[in-house]
Amino acid sequence: MTPAPDAGLGIREEDGGEAGFRILHVSTGNVCRSPITERLTRHALAQRLGDTRWGGLVVESAGTWGHEGAPMEENAVTVLGEYGADASGFTGRELRDEHVIRADLVLTATRDHRAHVISMGHSAGLRTFTLKEFTRLVRAIDPATLPPVED
C-alpha cells in the first residue's frame, strides 16, 4: 500500500514506525509552531520526494510544556491549509527523553527550546539547531556538491 503524501512522513514512535532518519520539531505547547513546522516539512518532503520516496523518514514534533493529546490550534490548521499541508490526525505531546534519543535532527522554535533539549543530554547538542540556525547552514551548502538524487 502506498502511503498518502504526508502520512508516511509522520509515523510517531508510538505507531511502531522504524525510520532511517528522524526529524523532531520542538516548541513550547506543541499545538501551534512545532505542528506547523512538522506538517510543512512533511508536505515539502512529500512534494519533492514523491509518495513512495520518503524511505522511512519520520517527521514529528513535541513541546517542552506540551499539551499531551491536545488538538492543533485552529490558526495553525488554517496556515497549513493555505500551504496545502495536511493537519489531520495531529495530537500534541510533551517532549520526553525518548523523543530526543531517537531523533537524528532536532529543530527548535527558539534558542530557549534548543537549550532545553540540550539540557536533556543524550548528545543532543550535536544535532539540535534552531530553525534559523539550520536555515543558515542549509543555505551555505553549494547544491553542485550534492550527490544526484537516485530515481
Side-chain angles (χ1 to χ4, degrees):
M1 179 172 110
T2 302
D6 287 351
L9 296 167
I11 299 167
R12 290 183 170 189
E13 79 267 356
E14 58 264 28
D15 297 329
E18 291 300 320
F21 194 86
R22 295 179 92 84
I23 301 171
L24 174 65
H25 291 270
V26 177
S27 65
T28 304
N30 192 223
V31 292
C32 191
R33 290 177 292 181
S34 55
I36 288 174
T37 57
E38 170 195 330
R39 296 304 175 98
L40 288 177
T41 300
R42 287 187 195 180
H43 182 67
L45 289 168
Q47 285 187 317
R48 288 187 177 104
L49 301 178
D51 294 0
T52 61
R53 302 258 347 256
W54 56 270
L57 182 72
V58 174
V59 181
E60 54 193 351
S61 63
T64 57
W65 291 86
H67 301 287
E68 197 72 37
M72 193 181 308
E73 288 187 4
E74 272 309 308
N75 61 339
V77 172
T78 300
V79 167
L80 290 173
E82 290 171 359
Y83 286 94
D86 184 14
S88 65
F90 179 84
T91 56
R93 64 185 188 163
E94 185 174 349
L95 181 66
R96 296 198 169 102
D97 285 331
E98 60 265 20
H99 302 143
V100 175
I101 290 167
R102 292 176 64 135
D104 296 295
L105 174 63
V106 182
L107 300 174
T108 67
T110 69
R111 286 181 283 176
D112 286 342
H113 297 125
R114 182 179 187 276
H116 182 98
V117 171
I118 291 170
S119 75
M120 295 173 78
H122 317 297
S123 302
L126 302 174
R127 52 197 156 81
T128 304
F129 306 89
T130 66
L131 284 168
K132 189 179 252 186
E133 291 169 335
F134 191 71
T135 299
R136 285 187 197 128
L137 289 169
V138 170
R139 286 184 178 157
I141 297 171
D142 178 0
T145 65
L146 297 175
V149 176
E150 297 176 13
D151 289 328

